[in-house]
């Protein structure tokens, strides 16, 4: 009996030991989060893999020391500043006094200008809320100013005004007034902080959509590393605009696990969006570099070359030459290409903007005056628009394509029938009768999805094959379907079209 | 001695630490002020009863303990008078509370008593879902349709209402049980799967008020927050018109038959409601 008791309840000593062990090892066990490389890296030869990893590490750093290869697309939010001297002339009296007491001999009174030096920060205007300097930064300013004027021993530092007052005046020539960087990637770190708080448990540290809770989710969280985002306002070939990403973060995606972060401040949303773009950039560059290198130095290519009679040392020498001579240019051109894509997406003309108005669902179609808008939309849905192939004749998301076997980009068949997205997940076409429209419910949102498709999925852009008036008719038909849960639409019931005008 | 002193101390400082009523302690809605009044009244009654019964108990203990040990115990059959007193007084108090609060309860819960039953005061349908509030508005100037219709406007986590006007919303849930909670307005109503529940309330001042989920609904319950934005009547109308424009729907104020203008302006803005 005694033995049983001691098994059930640990004694004081073992309890203390347990607590002690937990205290000592509990925190050490957790590792620092790090960016995870793409699985595709494994297809490369070891040295090619290392080369790509080294470049990515060099360009983007690690979560604890971020770096950014471009400032055109991603705001790093570096805090820069210059040192300025306050204009104040010393009197002859103080000058004489100084020369007698100081070990620093000042001959010309005009040379003596100032007793206070100010740090003038220039902050990224995009992030209003971080305009205030942190304690750490103030300490850095103090150190910097102290170093600038070491010869005259600074005495007081005013953090409010980022101003240092000197015990003795200083010669202007001894102050370096050029700009210096006080705090690097401040906006990125702010974004990272928020990302780690709100996003990481689904989207993962590297933005690979593989966070701790991701495996319980259907649909899976977005993997940003392709640089592809589904719900955008831009043309089919464009990337998502910054506003698109921010909009999704603020409003969430109905029908998925992506919640709305509307209560966050505008500044926080900007910071998170910025960091998401950073992760997307990192992943996309990695992918592109793997593609570049894989052509000749993937494990498969390597094996073929060995079989073709090349010696391993030869290949390695060739790779070293390639790495030294060509690779840096390849990297920088890829950075430029990705940056150009992001920049282009933010330009006003990449946003899809319908020119004409949308007719009311039961009004005459602007595309075919003999029908009402939804009648024509219904017809287009079944025929020219080819929507029914995936979405089904009744818009239930059960078209024939959902039962066909599909191949991925490499030409391999997926294990299960149905449409798959670029990330290899099964993505059923929208069932309009559920009343949930993920990419937004505004008519213009639906217009854009029909016009440019949904990026990364099998939803194709129809902007080239359908006219604007036809797309509006389809939008109206989709709107009517998604508002009539399960009931046949007025068109199918062959009822007078006035029935839908009850709104 | 330590625990009673600590308890008293905590009771004393709790209001100053903000452990009392939400917000600044004063309700932002008329019905909330009446609920607060009931709270304080019942608080006063129960405090009085508590103190008096404790004194009576203390007296009985003291009286019994001062008896000499050699005195024999006596048997008696109770006091009819005392029993009548301690039945009638609490009974009267309970009846008083029951009748006194009935009016507030009726105004809070009986739809026939709701001031917000006239046309136009039904302003939105709030659908709770893990873990957010999805909101459906009718076209400005029209009544909310019980089921979604083309032309409805949608938003998430932000409920916009006019100030100083009794408004009604329909509360639904898409999945599990949630609870629509406006702490500073003292409005709380569970959202029950399969039911559409009307709630009416009135906010006195324009401003932003917290909207919380008050029913443990899953892992993300803690972050199921939104806000109630109360606007002055003019701002409210303007905001709803802007949303209507964003959604490309004609408001009832403009000519309903005309094709919707404003599509071009819609497309410029991204940060609209989705």
């Amino acid at each position: 009996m005694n033995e049983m008791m001691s098994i059930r309840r640990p004694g004081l000593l073992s309890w203390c030991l347990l607590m002690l062990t937990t205290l000592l090892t509990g925190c050490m066990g957790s590792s620092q989060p790090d960016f995870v490389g793409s699985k595709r890296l494994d297809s490369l030869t070891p040295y090619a893999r290392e080369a790509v990893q080294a470049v990515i590490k060099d360009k983007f750093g690690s979560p604890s020391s971020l770096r950014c290869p471009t400032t055109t697309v991603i705001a790093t939010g570096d805090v820069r500043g210059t040192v300025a001297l306050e204009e104040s002339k010393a009197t002859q009296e103080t000058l004489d006094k100084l020369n007698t007491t100081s070990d620093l001999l000042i001959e010309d009174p005009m040379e003596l200008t100032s007793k206070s030096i100010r740090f003038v920060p220039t902050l990224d205007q995009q992030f209003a809320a971080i305009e205030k300097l942190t304690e750490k930064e103030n300490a850095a300013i103090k150190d910097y100013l102290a170093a600038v004027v070491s010869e005259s021993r600074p005495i007081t530092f005013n953090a409010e005004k980022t101003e240092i007052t000197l015990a003795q005046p200083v010669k202007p020539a001894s102050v370096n007034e050029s700009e210096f960087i006080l705090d690097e990637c401040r906006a990125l770190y702010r974004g990272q902080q928020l990302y780690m708080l709100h996003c990481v448990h689904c989207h993962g540290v590297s933005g690979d959509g593989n966070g701790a809770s991701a495996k319980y989710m259907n649909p899976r969280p977005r993997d940003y590393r392709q640089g592809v985002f589904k719900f955008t306002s831009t043309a089919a070939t464009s990337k998502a605009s910054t506003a698109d990403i921010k909009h999704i973060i603020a409003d969430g995606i109905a029908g998925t696990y992506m919640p709305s972060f509307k209560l966050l401040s505008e500044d926080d949303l900007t910071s998170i969006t910025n960091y998401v773009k950073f992760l997307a950039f990192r992943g996309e560059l990695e992918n592109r570099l793997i593609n570049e290198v894989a052509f000749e130095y993937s494990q498969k290519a390597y094996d073929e070359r060995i079989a073709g009679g090349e010696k391993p040392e030869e290949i390695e020498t060739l790779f070293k030459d390639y790495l030294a001579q060509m690779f840096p240019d390849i990297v920088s051109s890829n950075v430029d290409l990705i940056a150009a894509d992001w920049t282009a997406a933010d330009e006003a003309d990449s946003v899809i903007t319908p020119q004409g108005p949308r007719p009311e669902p039961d009004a005459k179609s602007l595309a075919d005056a003999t029908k009402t808008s939804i009648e024509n939309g219904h017809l287009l849905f079944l025929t020219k628009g080819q929507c029914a192939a995936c979405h089904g004749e009744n818009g239930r998301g059960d078209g024939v394509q959902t039962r066909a076997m599909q191949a991925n980009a490499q030409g391999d068949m997926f294990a299960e029938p149905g449409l798959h997205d670029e990330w290899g997940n099964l993505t059923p076409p929208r069932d309009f009768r559920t009343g949930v429209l993920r990419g937004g419910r505004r008519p213009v949102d639906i217009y854009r999805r029909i016009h440019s498709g949904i990026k990364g999925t099998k939803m194709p852009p129809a902007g080239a094959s359908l006219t604007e008036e036809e797309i509006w008719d389809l939008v109206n038909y989709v709107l009517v379907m998604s508002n009539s849960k399960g009931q046949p639409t007025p068109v199918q019931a062959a009822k007078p079209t006035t029935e839908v005008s009850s709104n | 001695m330590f625990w009673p002193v600590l308890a008293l101390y905590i009771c004393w400082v709790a209001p100053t630490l903000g452990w009392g009523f939400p917000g600044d302690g004063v309700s932002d809605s008329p019905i909330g002020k009446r609920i607060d009044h009931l709270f304080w009244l019942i608080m006063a009654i129960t405090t009085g009863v508590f103190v008096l019964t404790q004194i009576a108990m203390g007296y009985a203990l003291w009286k019994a303990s001062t008896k000499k040990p050699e005195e024999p115990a006596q048997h008696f059959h109770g006091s009819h008078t005392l029993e009548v007193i301690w039945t009638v007084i609490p009974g009267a108090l309970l009846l008083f509370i029951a009748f006194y609060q009935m009016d507030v309860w009726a105004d809070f819960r009986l739809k026939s008593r709701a001031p917000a039953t006239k046309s136009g005061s039904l302003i939105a349908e709030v659908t709770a879902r893990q873990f957010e509030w999805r909101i459906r508005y009718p076209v400005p100037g029209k009544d909310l349709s019980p089921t979604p219709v083309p032309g409805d406007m949608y938003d998430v986590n932000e409920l916009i209402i006019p100030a100083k006007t009794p408004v009604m919303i329909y509360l639904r849930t898409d999945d599990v049980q949630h609870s629509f909670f406006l702490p500073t307005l003292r409005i709380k109503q569970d959202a029950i799967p399969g039911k559409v529940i009307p709630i009416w309330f009135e906010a006195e001042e324009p401003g932003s008020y917290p909207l919380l989920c008050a029913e443990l609904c899953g892992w993300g319950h803690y972050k199921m927050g939104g806000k109630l934005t109360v606007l002055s009547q003019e701002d409210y109308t303007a905001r709803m018109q802007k949303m209507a424009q964003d959604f490309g729907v004609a408001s009832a104020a403009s000519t309903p038959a005309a094709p919707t203008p404003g599509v071009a302006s819609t497309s410029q803005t991204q940060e609209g409601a989705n």
Side-chain angles (χ1 to χ4, degrees):
Chain A
M1 191 63 195
N2 265 347
E3 249 172 284
M4 274 186 72
M5 287 295 285
S6 65
I7 290 165
R8 268 195 218 143
R9 287 179 57 181
L12 188 66
L13 185 69
S14 47
W15 180 252
C16 287
L17 272 175
L18 188 73
M19 290 310 285
L20 199 68
T21 332
T22 320
L23 273 175
L24 288 176
T25 60
C27 299
M28 292 177 210
S30 67
S31 53
Q32 278 291 321
D34 202 359
F35 292 137
V36 185
S38 163
K39 280 206 179 67
R40 294 181 55 226
L41 280 168
D42 297 342
S43 69
L44 303 179
T45 52
Y47 43 81
R49 187 188 316 151
E50 271 167 35
V52 173
Q53 279 171 331
V55 167
I56 296 297
K57 181 101 180 163
D58 175 55
K59 295 279 176 195
F60 298 91
S62 64
S64 53
S65 77
L66 296 174
R67 275 183 226 167
C68 188
T70 169
T71 49
T72 52
V73 178
I74 299 155
T76 51
D78 294 343
V79 183
R80 294 153 190 278
T82 48
V83 169
L85 286 167
E86 295 291 316
E87 288 287 325
S88 65
K89 295 275 180 288
T91 60
Q92 190 61 44
E93 197 183 333
T94 50
L95 193 69
D96 289 343
K97 198 176 157 203
L98 262 175
N99 276 343
T100 50
T101 55
S102 165
D103 49 348
L104 183 93
L105 190 70
I106 295 159
E107 289 150 357
D108 180 5
M110 292 316 286
E111 211 177 300
L112 185 81
T113 54
S114 176
K115 271 182 83 176
S116 63
I117 296 182
R118 236 168 77 73
F119 172 78
V120 187
T122 44
L123 291 162
D124 200 321
Q125 290 306 308
Q126 214 183 333
F127 301 94
I130 56 172
E131 224 166 63
K132 207 167 168 293
L133 294 172
T134 62
E135 233 164 76
K136 196 182 117 203
E137 282 160 0
N138 269 328
I141 292 172
K142 193 179 168 188
D143 288 351
Y144 183 82
L145 293 182
V148 166
V149 293
S150 61
E151 54 180 299
S152 46
R153 293 184 296 273
I155 47 159
T156 53
F157 176 69
N158 183 339
E160 281 280 290
K161 293 160 80 180
T162 57
E163 188 177 71
I164 207 160
T165 311
L166 309 172
Q168 288 155 11
V170 65
K171 293 175 193 173
S174 64
V175 175
N176 178 9
E177 292 199 29
S178 64
E179 194 182 60
F180 74 102
I181 296 175
L182 175 74
D183 198 354
E184 275 190 311
C185 296
R186 187 170 159 176
L188 271 185
Y189 280 115
R190 174 78 186 130
Q192 185 190 45
Q193 203 184 3
L194 292 160
Y195 183 89
M196 289 302 193
L197 190 64
H198 299 293
C199 321
V200 76
H201 67 94
C202 297
H203 289 288
V205 175
S206 335
D208 55 1
N210 215 1
S213 28
K215 56 174 162 294
Y216 306 108
M217 288 175 181
N218 182 20
R220 299 276 294 191
R222 177 70 41 248
D223 172 0
Y224 312 136
R225 294 176 306 168
Q226 282 75 8
V228 178
F229 294 85
K230 276 167 86 171
F231 303 114
T232 67
S233 61
T234 54
T237 48
S238 298
K239 281 192 178 303
S241 71
T242 310
D244 287 331
I245 300 175
K246 197 169 170 181
H247 158 71
I248 292 291
I249 298 171
D251 287 324
I253 303 177
T256 73
Y257 284 97
M258 177 70 191
S260 151
F261 290 98
K262 200 166 235 176
L263 297 196
L264 292 183
S265 71
E266 189 65 23
D267 211 63
D268 286 355
L269 289 174
T270 308
S271 297
I272 297 179
T273 308
N274 190 41
Y275 191 67
V276 166
K277 281 173 78 176
F278 168 81
L279 290 177
F281 204 115
R282 184 190 166 280
E284 193 176 357
L285 183 66
E286 186 180 56
N287 259 318
R288 279 176 176 247
L289 293 185
I290 293 170
N291 288 344
E292 297 276 1
V293 177
F295 189 63
E296 283 187 322
Y297 300 98
S298 71
Q299 198 62 50
K300 201 172 149 210
Y302 177 85
D303 291 345
E304 275 167 15
R305 288 169 77 172
I306 295 289
E310 283 184 79
K311 291 201 177 73
E313 307 84 66
E314 280 174 12
I315 300 177
E316 198 160 350
T317 318
L318 277 172
F319 183 74
K320 274 181 185 147
D321 289 349
Y322 168 80
L323 200 60
Q325 287 160 18
M326 321 247 306
F327 203 54
D329 286 345
I330 291 173
V331 172
S332 63
S333 70
N334 273 300
V335 169
D336 293 345
L337 283 172
I338 301 171
D341 281 354
W342 280 110
T343 313
D346 274 343
E347 275 157 19
D349 58 357
S350 69
V351 174
I352 299 299
T353 311
Q355 300 304 314
R358 173 177 69 99
E360 286 294 306
D362 53 331
K364 273 206 165 18
S365 161
L366 298 175
D368 182 348
T370 61
K371 299 188 185 70
T372 64
S373 184
I374 38 170
E375 277 174 342
N376 197 41
H378 187 197
L379 189 69
L380 289 166
F381 190 86
L382 295 173
T383 56
K384 193 177 165 195
Q386 297 174 354
C387 315
C390 297
H391 290 285
E393 285 177 17
N394 297 319
R396 287 209 162 275
D398 57 354
V400 284
Q401 289 294 333
T402 61
R403 295 187 290 278
M405 297 302 285
Q406 311 277 348
N408 65 11
Q410 282 79 42
D412 304 322
M413 295 308 258
F414 286 110
E416 47 192 343
L419 300 157
H420 289 69
D421 59 20
E422 247 177 50
W423 298 272
N425 300 320
L426 189 67
T427 41
R430 176 68 31 243
D431 175 353
F432 297 111
R433 302 307 175 79
T434 59
V436 177
L437 297 173
R438 287 185 184 165
R441 294 202 68 127
R442 293 182 306 175
V444 71
D445 293 329
I446 304 171
Y447 181 96
R448 284 170 179 155
R449 286 207 289 292
I450 296 173
H451 186 281
S452 342
I454 299 175
K455 281 147 206 173
T457 73
K458 288 280 188 279
M459 170 81 187
S465 57
L466 297 176
T467 65
E468 187 184 308
E469 292 79 17
E470 286 173 328
I471 297 181
W472 274 136
D473 290 343
L474 271 173
V475 168
N476 276 332
Y477 184 61
V478 167
L479 272 175
V480 170
M481 270 196 291
S482 54
N483 279 300
S484 56
K485 298 187 176 183
Q487 276 104 49
T489 59
V491 177
Q492 288 163 324
K495 283 273 153 59
T497 48
T498 46
E499 202 166 286
V500 290
S501 67
S502 59
N503 69 322
Chain B
M1 198 59 196
F2 173 72
W3 293 111
V5 168
L6 184 70
L8 273 177
Y9 175 73
I10 287 175
C11 288
W12 189 255
V13 299
T16 57
L17 291 175
W19 292 356
F21 285 174
D24 57 3
V26 181
S27 168
D28 296 313
S29 70
I31 189 87
K33 291 205 166 77
R34 294 168 67 195
I35 293 172
D36 287 358
H37 166 72
L38 281 181
F39 177 88
W40 286 119
L41 180 80
I42 294 171
M43 181 77 150
I45 294 172
T46 48
T47 307
V49 169
F50 176 75
V51 170
L52 288 176
T53 48
Q54 294 304 304
I55 289 172
M57 196 171 77
Y59 172 75
L61 285 172
W62 171 78
K63 187 81 180 158
S65 63
T66 50
K67 257 186 177 174
K68 290 197 182 79
E70 55 274 17
E71 251 180 75
Q74 282 173 343
H75 183 77
F76 73 107
H77 288 280
S79 160
H80 188 72
T81 324
L82 266 179
E83 279 189 27
V84 167
I85 289 172
W86 73 51
T87 308
V88 167
I89 292 179
L93 280 173
L94 285 176
L95 271 179
F96 167 73
I97 294 172
F99 284 112
Y100 191 84
Q101 58 83 43
M102 228 152 73
D103 207 34
V104 179
W105 174 255
D107 284 346
F108 192 46
R109 277 290 177 270
L110 293 185
K111 206 179 169 188
S112 57
R113 296 277 291 256
T117 42
K118 62 176 194 295
S119 170
S121 48
L122 177 58
I123 54 151
E125 179 191 69
V126 175
T127 305
R129 98 177 247 274
Q130 284 174 326
F131 300 97
E132 60 195 8
W133 306 95
R134 294 232 161 234
I135 295 150
R136 178 168 69 92
Y137 297 102
V139 175
K142 284 192 182 178
D143 279 342
L144 184 78
S145 148
T147 51
V149 288
D152 281 343
M153 310 185 296
Y154 293 83
D155 202 349
V156 60
N157 280 357
E158 187 185 14
L159 177 61
I160 302 162
I161 66 163
K164 299 187 177 69
T165 316
V167 293
M168 187 185 283
I169 60 162
Y170 278 160
L171 182 63
R172 292 177 58 236
T173 167
D174 261 357
D175 36 47
V176 298
Q177 204 173 327
H178 299 275
S179 186
F180 178 89
F181 184 25
L182 299 169
T184 54
L185 273 71
R186 317 281 191 262
I187 300 291
K188 192 192 270 177
Q189 172 61 53
D190 279 12
I192 318 282
K195 289 199 112 179
V196 180
I197 301 171
I199 319 169
W200 52 92
F201 49 89
E202 177 184 340
E204 287 173 334
E205 291 302 322
S208 182
Y209 303 91
L211 159 62
L212 305 169
C213 178
E215 182 70 52
L216 182 58
C217 58
W219 68 268
H221 167 64
Y222 71 96
K223 62 175 184 181
M224 191 169 163
K227 61 180 171 187
L228 175 77
T229 302
V230 181
L231 300 173
S232 67
Q233 193 65 52
E234 303 87 71
D235 289 352
Y236 174 75
T237 314
R239 178 81 180 261
M240 284 293 138
Q241 290 293 349
K242 189 180 166 292
M243 199 189 281
Q245 211 176 47
D246 209 26
F247 271 80
V249 288
S251 65
S254 62
T255 44
T260 324
V263 170
S265 68
T266 319
S267 37
Q268 302 306 323
T269 53
Q270 271 304 304
E271 290 85 359
N274 73 329

